[in-house]
Amino acid sequence: MPEESQRSGRPDEDLILHQQYLRALSSFEGIILSQIDLKNKLGDRLNYSIQAGILILGAIAVSISVLLFTLTSQITRISTTVDEMNSHFISVSNQMNQIKHYMSRMEMRVRLLESIRSRTALMDQEMTAIQDDMVRMHAYMGGIDDSVAAVRDHVSQISINIDLMNREVQTMSAEMQHMSRPARAINRMMPFP
């Protein structure tokens, strides 16, 4: 009799153990599924964050390329203006050399005047030659004045170009601040540091 009661008690225990095993298995499966769901949500958030970061980096790259393009164009303008100024300086140097040459000729003629005081006719001819040299020198001085005026114009153009570059940089700075607002908003929305 006691053996029969023990045998009849075992299938009930096995059934209870089997039910407990099934419950534990289903709760373990629920835990695993909830962890998988949580990881999927975190992965989606991470993907959205990465996409937003890529968009922001793309906007920053576009802004930097626009800034570099603007600076490059302004530098080429400044380079051409400096080249023109250099050519004008070379022209001024050449004209100064010619003036120096005429001054040396004038010195030679003045020396000749000291040695030929008795010959007034010859002295008159030398004076007319000096007057011609003075007229030419005056013409070269006018050319120097024109070159200096052109150099001043180029310097004013450089100043205007630098002012334009300054405005462009200020505009780009304002645009960068405007573009950084979405990034700050995304940082506030992110629950993770």
Side-chain angles (χ1 to χ4, degrees):
M1 279 303 252
E3 288 180 7
E4 287 178 8
S5 62
Q6 284 179 358
R7 284 182 190 167
S8 63
R10 271 199 186 157
D12 290 335
E13 286 177 11
D14 288 341
L15 182 63
I16 291 170
L17 285 175
H18 184 66
Q19 287 175 351
Q20 286 177 350
Y21 172 73
L22 289 177
R23 272 189 249 132
L25 189 62
S26 65
S27 63
F28 178 73
E29 182 181 5
I31 290 169
I32 294 296
L33 289 176
S34 66
Q35 284 185 351
I36 290 172
D37 188 39
L38 181 64
K39 285 181 182 178
N40 287 337
K41 287 180 183 177
L42 289 174
D44 290 341
R45 278 192 184 177
L46 182 62
N47 285 338
Y48 292 145
S49 301
I50 290 171
Q51 289 172 358
I54 288 172
L55 288 176
I56 291 168
L57 288 176
I60 290 170
V62 168
S63 300
I64 289 172
S65 63
V66 167
L67 176 65
L68 289 175
F69 177 74
T70 304
L71 290 175
T72 304
S73 65
Q74 294 298 326
I75 285 171
T76 54
R77 282 186 193 171
I78 290 171
S79 176
T80 55
T81 306
V82 168
D83 288 340
E84 290 176 6
M85 283 175 57
N86 191 18
S87 66
H88 286 293
F89 281 132
I90 290 170
S91 172
V92 168
S93 176
N94 291 335
Q95 290 173 1
M96 288 299 288
N97 286 334
Q98 289 176 352
I99 289 171
K100 192 174 181 183
H101 173 68
Y102 285 119
M103 290 296 286
S104 65
R105 284 178 64 186
M106 283 174 62
E107 285 177 9
M108 288 173 55
R109 287 178 182 157
V110 167
R111 284 186 202 145
L112 286 173
L113 283 173
E114 291 176 2
S115 67
I116 53 170
R117 284 184 185 171
S118 60
R119 300 177 185 180
T120 57
L122 186 59
M123 192 169 85
D124 287 337
Q125 291 174 359
E126 290 295 326
M127 286 302 286
T128 54
I130 288 172
Q131 284 178 351
D132 292 337
D133 288 339
M134 288 294 284
V135 168
R136 287 184 195 144
M137 202 163 84
H138 188 272
Y140 282 117
M141 288 298 286
I144 288 173
D145 287 339
D146 293 338
S147 296
V148 169
V151 168
R152 283 183 187 150
D153 289 338
H154 288 301
V155 168
S156 66
Q157 286 177 0
I158 287 173
S159 176
I160 289 168
N161 286 335
I162 287 174
D163 286 340
L164 289 173
M165 281 175 56
N166 191 17
R167 288 181 192 156
E168 288 289 333
V169 168
Q170 288 175 356
T171 303
M172 293 179 97
S173 174
E175 287 177 1
M176 289 295 284
Q177 291 212 358
H178 179 67
M179 285 191 299
S180 67
R181 285 183 190 158
R184 287 195 295 263
I186 288 173
N187 283 342
R188 280 189 227 120
M189 288 189 299
M190 289 294 187
F192 303 109

